[in-house]
Amino acid sequence: LASGGSTNHLLRGIPTQNDVGFLSLFEHYGSCVVGSNYKDPVLPIWVVCSESHFTVLFSLQRELQKDWLRKQKFDLYYYDGLAGQDDMIQLTIDSTREEPPPLTESELIPPLELCIRTKWKSAAVNWNKTEPIL
């Protein structure tokens, strides 16, 4: 874990798969590495550590975790209790791509998409008519 100074702290992961996973925006920025036992939990549920608080991503497709290396399209649902979210946010993830979707120079990438790509490296994220959360 990089603490901003010249000192790094080595954190140990967990020795076996956890029931619930964990994804972090800090991994995208290179401040930490989330191990595979958190990225690939028994259940398709991830606590997400984004910029300022924790949220949840989950799938209703339990079989998603049985073959997590397979490239596929699937839905994830996002919940942010702190934001007072009333509407369901359904994201469609396409992990069949070899490269991340191209971006224009002025295009902002939602932090949640950066978190998702720490697990599915080149995933395209479709927000399905929901305004992306920046």
Side-chain angles (χ1 to χ4, degrees), residues 72-91:
Q72 58 191 321
K73 289 184 182 179
F74 54 92
D75 291 328
L76 292 177
Y77 296 88
Y78 178 69
Y79 180 71
D80 183 345
L82 190 61
Q85 178 183 331
D86 292 325
D87 297 327
M88 178 179 71
I89 297 177
Q90 178 182 348
L91 306 171

Side-chain angles (χ1 to χ4, degrees), residues 5 9 18 32 34 36 39 41 44 55 59 67 72 75-76 80 83 87 94 102-103 110 113 115 117 127-128:
H9 302 282
N18 201 38
C32 69
V34 175
S36 62
K39 283 186 184 173
T55 57
S59 175
D67 191 10
Q72 58 191 321
D75 291 328
L76 292 177
D80 183 345
D87 297 327
D94 180 356
L103 301 170
E113 288 188 31
C115 290
R117 289 192 189 120
W127 287 77
N128 297 311

Side-chain angles (χ1 to χ4, degrees), residues 89-100:
I89 297 177
Q90 178 182 348
L91 306 171
T92 300
I93 310 301
D94 180 356
S95 68
T96 64
R97 306 175 65 96
E98 296 300 321
E99 296 287 325

Side-chain angles (χ1 to χ4, degrees), residues 19-73:
D19 287 340
V20 175
F22 181 72
L23 301 175
S24 175
L25 183 61
F26 296 104
E27 181 173 15
H28 166 76
Y29 291 124
S31 298
C32 69
V33 175
V34 175
S36 62
N37 286 329
Y38 274 128
K39 283 186 184 173
D40 305 311
V42 174
L43 302 171
I45 303 168
W46 294 268
V47 172
V48 179
C49 175
S50 196
E51 294 170 310
S52 61
H53 62 287
F54 295 94
T55 57
V56 177
L57 269 176
F58 63 95
S59 175
L60 300 177
Q61 301 165 294
R62 187 159 183 178
E63 66 276 4
L64 177 64
Q65 287 308 96
K66 292 185 189 320
D67 191 10
W68 61 270
L69 286 174
R70 186 175 69 131
K71 295 193 177 280
Q72 58 191 321
K73 289 184 182 179

